[in-house]
Amino acid sequence: MFDALSELFGSPIIAAFVSAIVPLVFIVPFVIIAVYMERKVAGHMQDRLGPMRVGYHGILQTVADFFKLLQKEDITASSIDKRFFNVAPFLVFAGSYAVYAALPFTSSMLGSKIDIGLFFIVAASGLVVAGILMAGWSSNNKYSLYGALRSAAQIVSYEIPTIIVILSVVMFTRTLSLAEMSEMQTAYFWNWNIFGGAEWNLTKLLITPFMMIAFLIFYISSLAEVNRTPFDMPEAESELVAGYHTEYSGIKFSMFFLAEYANMFAVSAIAVAIFLGGYQSPFGYVGNLIGAEWLVQVEQLFWFISKGMFFVFVQMWLRWTLPRVRVDQLMTICWKYLIPYSFVNLIIIGIITLI
Amino acid sequence: MKTEELILNMGPQHPSTHGVLRLELELEGEVVNKVTPHIGYLHRCFEKHAEAMTYPQVIPYTDRMDYLASMYNNFGYVIGVEKLLGIEVPERVQYIRVIMGELQRIASHLVALGTYGLDIGAFTPFLYLFRDREKILTLFEITCGARLLYNYMWVGGLSHDLHPDFVRLTREFIKYYRPNITELNNLLTFNKIFVERTANIGVLPAETAINYGISGPNLRASGVKFDLRRNDPYSIYDRFDFEIPVGEGMMGTVGDCWDRYYVRVLELEQSLRIIEQALDQLPEGDVQSAIPKRIKPPVGSVYTRVENPKGELGYFIISDGSVNPFRVKVRAPSFVNLSIINELSRGHLVADIVAILGSIDIVLGEIDR
Amino acid sequence: MRQYFINTWEGIWTVLVGMRITFGHLFTPAVTIQYPDVKVPLPERVRNRLYVNIDDCIGCDQCSRACPVNCIEIETVKSLPTEDLGTTSNGKKKALWVTKFDIDIAKCCYCQLCVFPCPTDCIYMTDVYEFSEYDRNDLIYNFSTLKPEESAEKKANFEKLRLEKEAQKLAAAKAKEEADAKKAAEIKKEDSSKTE
Amino acid sequence: MKKAQEIFDILKSEFDDAIISISTETPTEPMISVDPLKICGVSLFLRNNTELQFDSLMNLSGVDDANGEKGKVESDLDLITGGTLSVYYHLHSTKINHKITLRVSAPRENPEVESVESIWKTANWHEREAYDMYGIKFLNHPDLRRILMPYDWDAGYPLRKDYKSPEYYHGMKIPY
């Protein structure tokens, strides 16, 4: 996308700027829709109606809330560490925003076609930890501090199973680029990585169950990485009030909020890109059938977003079903269950790939 | 390096202290060394008020102690005053009181279970249980006109007779409600995460429980088969066939948080059974025939206790022969049950404090009175 | 080791069971309603805002005495013998002007204890439950229909009557005293005359 | 199951002068009066004796007997002088299923009662409450602080019959 844009504007600087803006154009409406969806899903799962007042079936509720948050007074307690306190929400958002640079929305629409896309994503999302730690520490609040420290431990631990699973997929596909990976899973859904890739042979048959396990592990640990229930330790409402963002209000709070939802989509999108064909349609393209090149792009965007949204929905579904694990159990799940399983899985996938 | 204990104030404004309770936690990392509860934020001088009221006027005040089980608070008080007066109440009144009391027990347990789920982090079961509780409150509303603070049971009788539709609606409710217990079990009780959070946490041995005066479901969860409805029957509870569920340590140790939770789930079914039997045997009659015109008990004192949903609710009433009680002391079950929190939580994590506090099911209105 | 796999399996299975239940509820109709637009029909015995039918009130003060929170304030003035206040709907004769019948609904605890002792059933609870106000003083309901000047007049009337009566009584007493004195004097006289 | 009279006899033979009397009139439950400074030993005996086994303290309540002289000291304040404050203990045995009520009375001016906290932990908070409301001092209580009232409440003990609520608390007007 960057190349096309620099041709269009004739200047790489403007092109870089524009292509950096593009994800924001996606994220803000996405967050508004996702928050609305979260409330509606929660409402209907709990035999309620959810928001109904603002607009038809409350469709403008989050827009109204967004404006309310913008207007709110920015309360800062007197004994906080001002510098860190102010920077933290933006750092958290920057971390989750950076991930979008390497996400392939369609075959041509992606921020950067870097070859080490996956590696970049893993590294960039680590930035979030720093932001959360800063927020927790600078708030000068014991609950915030607990939330932040829990969160740091949690995110760092859960990177490990995530990376191991990514490694096993990388071993299989032999590329670190998300764009390339998505391209390889073309045409029909049985060509997706979760079903053993595009080649029809014995390997495909053998590898499918292990890929499914890998997907499950990836999805669980990604839940932990974005602090969603059942792993929402850092902001465990009933214990830590609101965790690391207890002291935040107004626009800074909404940055955390934005980051959380942006993150939700990001991890779902990564899961989709590496396991479920990325932007590829499960049943071939109408655009190819009628020979319209632009339609293919639109379809790809549709499939990518709808697959991503589906997993965002599953995250919500889990959130409104499950209780929360305790902080030591969180670590148990990671170190005693997910990591051994993912290691064994890595070895098995490695062996199968070698055959 | 110098290290010291971290003092963390949990409450009075905290999402999971079930009201305005302040727990002062002494922490070492996330491990709790000592819990000091500070209560009294909701103190409304019930006992002082009662001394200035006439006997019937105290009843609306009893409603406001354990506001989740108002019917049962009325129940205990009127039994006490009736014992002082030495009057017999008609059969129909007895049956209606039992039906109301058991419905109230279900309603109270539903809140206890729901908020417990909420403490552990499961939001949805809470709303499912509240949905069913609303149905019970509607039954109360058609009977006496109020949803929460009933003033329904009077000394010697009841404020209203049953609504003509009450029996039918209650039967419908029982039929509707039975399957929901299974749903709750599938959704929350046997959920692996929930079990892990609650099993083996806050284990309360039977000896300690008795010594601390713990009562109600909390005592039974420790394996003590003690229920005032069976062991010290009041009203007409000796006529019904029901079981007393006790904690068996199905998921961990006997007397842990999961047991305390599960005993309440099992009691739902037993209460439904009692209501069914009472509805079958319900006699006809006048519910207000025994109400004395002027309530002026003779000099004396009486201690009555009933099995409130939270535990043993006792009223110690002293009469000096005037129209006002000389002294009404309430032995509030939550007050006694809360005193064990330090014993239970030592050595657990902060998150477990929430689980333990939820499992002993306190109502601050009753603790502070 | 076996426990390890059982734990894993239970973890996944019970989560799936829970998810099935919540997914089912996604399609059941909601039990909540859109409150100000839709309202639940209230049962007939419902206990909400107190109402006093002042035409029927005989000013007996029983409701005020039954109230555990003292939210009812009643002041009455005796009527003059010449005034006819009429009867209540159930045939009781009224004898008192109710100059003040205030209910502080903010204090009311909706216990319904005031309703039962009323001999004319004129105080009762209605099904109105939306009566919030911007000013706390608006929550004190004045049920007395007498205007302040009217009640002042009644008070003055009664006071006049009372004074008159007192004066009469005083006069009567005086007269009696005088008569007594006279009598005593006469007796004395007689006695003295007798002794003479 | 033991009758109140039997329990009284057992106690009387064991403790002699510490046990004062028994009252059995209705509707009052049978009640044994005990010396306030010997209640701890009596309680220990009641709990540990194999025939009695009172393992549970149902209720402990302080009571202002208001049996002293009522005198008008100031304009409208009825101050009670003399008389007693009482503590009632309602005991129950979960094993034998019998009940008894103990009563101790201490002089109003210096109400001192032995604590039974070491015997029944239930007593801990109940004694704190009795202290808070009546100012009864429980000797050997490990943590005798106010419980329902603010810790720095210095206007007396509210459930005493002659209590008069102060007008100000920390500069805040009390009767709203």
Side-chain angles (χ1 to χ4, degrees), chain A residues 45-48 142-143 146 150 229-230 237-241 320-329, chain B residues 7-10 14-16 27 29-30 119-121 123-124 127-128 131 191 193 196-197 201 351-352:
Chain A
M45 273 184 181
Q46 296 164 349
D47 290 355
R48 293 186 288 125
K142 288 166 187 169
Y143 288 110
Y146 269 114
R150 280 181 179 188
T229 315
E237 193 204 346
S238 57
E239 299 145 30
L240 298 184
V241 191
W320 299 111
T321 305
L322 295 180
R324 179 185 309 119
V325 297
R326 203 173 56 214
V327 66
D328 60 324
Q329 286 160 356
Chain B
I7 306 282
L8 185 70
N9 268 314
M10 205 164 134
H14 187 278
S16 56
L27 299 175
E30 284 227 12
D119 289 342
I120 304 294
F123 196 83
T124 307
L127 285 164
Y128 291 169
R131 174 195 63 194
N191 185 297
I193 298 174
E196 285 295 319
R197 276 300 299 276
I201 301 297
D352 293 332

Side-chain angles (χ1 to χ4, degrees), chain A residues 112-135:
Chain A
S112 163
K113 210 166 187 168
I114 42 174
D115 293 334
I116 49 161
L118 269 170
F119 188 70
F120 170 76
I121 285 173
V122 171
S125 60
L127 205 60
V128 175
V129 183
I132 288 177
L133 267 181
M134 277 162 76

Side-chain angles (χ1 to χ4, degrees), chain B residues 22 36-41 43 47-48 51 83-84 207 210-213 226 231-232 298-305 312 316 318 325-327 329-331 335-336 338-339 367-369, chain D residues 26-29 31 47 55-66 88 90 92 94-95 97 99 119-122 125-126 128-129 133-134 145 147-149 151 158-161 163:
Chain B
R22 179 157 74 98
T36 319
H38 297 272
I39 61 175
Y41 293 90
H43 184 49
E47 288 166 14
K48 190 79 180 170
E51 290 173 12
K83 208 164 158 191
L84 264 179
E207 280 300 311
I210 292 172
N211 196 252
Y212 267 90
F226 184 80
N231 294 59
D232 188 6
V299 180
S301 69
V302 68
Y303 178 75
T304 46
R305 49 182 192 163
E312 175 186 329
F316 178 50
I318 303 181
F326 184 74
R327 168 89 168 110
K329 156 86 187 182
V330 181
R331 185 243 197 241
F335 179 80
V336 181
L338 180 66
S339 66
I367 291 172
D368 295 344
R369 300 188 294 283
Chain D
T26 50
T28 313
E29 298 126 341
M31 198 179 287
R47 190 190 68 180
D55 51 359
S56 142
L57 174 66
M58 294 188 289
N59 188 17
L60 184 154
S61 48
V63 173
D64 180 358
D65 295 325
Y88 289 72
H90 296 268
H92 173 71
T94 53
K95 301 205 175 71
N97 205 14
K99 292 190 228 173
I119 298 154
W120 300 290
K121 292 278 184 214
T122 331
W125 280 25
H126 275 123
R128 276 178 70 187
E129 196 190 331
M133 293 297 162
Y134 291 98
R145 286 175 296 145
I147 186 164
L148 293 174
M149 303 294 285
Y151 294 126
L159 270 181
R160 288 196 182 186
K161 292 281 181 185
Y163 173 77

